[in-house]
Amino acid sequence: TACDSVLVDTEKAAEDAMKLFFRNGHRKIGIIGGPEEISTAQERVSGCRKACEKYGISLEEALICREDYTIQGGVRGLEKLVKRNPDMTAVFVTNYEMTMGAVIGLNELGMQVPKEISVIGFDNLQFARACSPKLTIVAQPTVEIAREAAGLMLKRLESRAGEGSPEYSVKKLSTEIIMGKSVLDIRD
């Protein structure tokens, strides 16, 4: 059914994260993605693929691990990626709970960020600030999402008060990368 919606361009968010890794010399980048049946999870992995294509870098299936959007999913994904890709230099975690799990997994494996592995997480600014070193993250514009959603709801309520029904509106918002100290420049 058609309805008003406020979306985030998560495909471009993933693309931007990968490009940041590429600009710092990383080529073997693991991706902890969400369940295949969830559209945002598909978009984020698709954005990673797009970035790789633009840079002419092959993204092997062994570098993609799909887990559920939980802390434990992040731990499992990180452990699988490290085991399958011992030469991996970076990991992009595409969900905030899984980001927490991936950091727990790195701690449990005794891997130092960013010396041994670089990390970009998704959302959860407070957690990113609590990490040492501070995590670089893709941040969704939560305040803007709320403002846009409230605006759409008010417009819809006004139209019910007699002005006729406006067309359904879809807003797509951009993310930003908030820099921390979790991405190492490994260019020669």
Side-chain angles (χ1 to χ4, degrees):
T1 53
C3 64
D4 295 313
S5 54
V6 180
L7 308 171
V8 174
D9 193 344
T10 58
E11 187 175 70
K12 183 164 185 323
E15 203 176 320
D16 290 346
M18 294 297 279
K19 286 178 180 176
L20 176 60
F21 279 140
F22 297 151
R23 286 195 300 271
N24 282 281
H26 297 275
R27 297 296 176 263
K28 202 84 174 187
I29 302 158
I31 297 153
I32 302 177
E36 267 185 289
E37 65 275 11
I38 296 179
S39 62
T40 53
Q42 292 168 13
E43 288 169 9
R44 291 169 197 182
V45 172
S46 171
C48 293
R49 288 189 199 282
K50 270 189 181 171
C52 288
E53 284 167 21
K54 285 180 183 172
Y55 275 76
I57 293 163
S58 69
L59 180 58
E60 302 150 33
E61 279 305 309
L63 286 165
I64 302 170
C65 193
R66 290 180 175 84
E67 291 290 339
D68 55 2
Y69 280 151
T70 64
I71 291 172
Q72 199 50 45
V75 174
R76 275 194 310 271
L78 187 277
E79 288 171 349
K80 286 178 189 172
L81 285 174
V82 168
K83 191 179 276 187
R84 289 195 304 230
N85 307 282
D87 55 345
M88 177 177 75
T89 63
V91 66
F92 173 46
V93 194
T94 64
N95 163 271
Y96 67 96
E97 286 182 335
M98 292 194 314
T99 297
M100 293 171 73
V103 170
I104 290 167
L106 289 169
N107 289 341
E108 288 176 351
L109 291 171
M111 295 181 76
Q112 287 185 292
V113 176
K115 199 162 91 176
E116 291 176 86
I117 192 160
S118 291
V119 179
I120 297 177
F122 209 91
D123 253 353
N124 204 334
L125 184 57
Q126 299 307 325
F127 176 73
R129 289 172 60 203
C131 288
S132 180
K134 181 184 170 192
L135 275 189
T136 294
I137 59 161
V138 173
Q140 298 190 85
T142 47
V143 171
E144 203 179 338
I145 291 167
R147 188 181 303 122
E148 291 289 345
L152 289 173
M153 284 169 46
L154 287 171
K155 208 181 275 182
R156 186 67 46 201
L157 289 169
E158 286 167 4
S159 72
R160 288 211 174 111
E163 298 170 20
S165 186
E167 292 293 309
Y168 288 111
S169 174
V170 177
K171 300 259 184 183
K172 202 159 207 180
L173 305 175
S174 296
T175 58
E176 65 173 319
I177 291 183
I178 297 177
M179 294 300 294
K181 296 185 182 311
S182 63
V183 178
L184 188 66
D185 187 341
I186 60 169
R187 290 173 295 176
D188 293 331

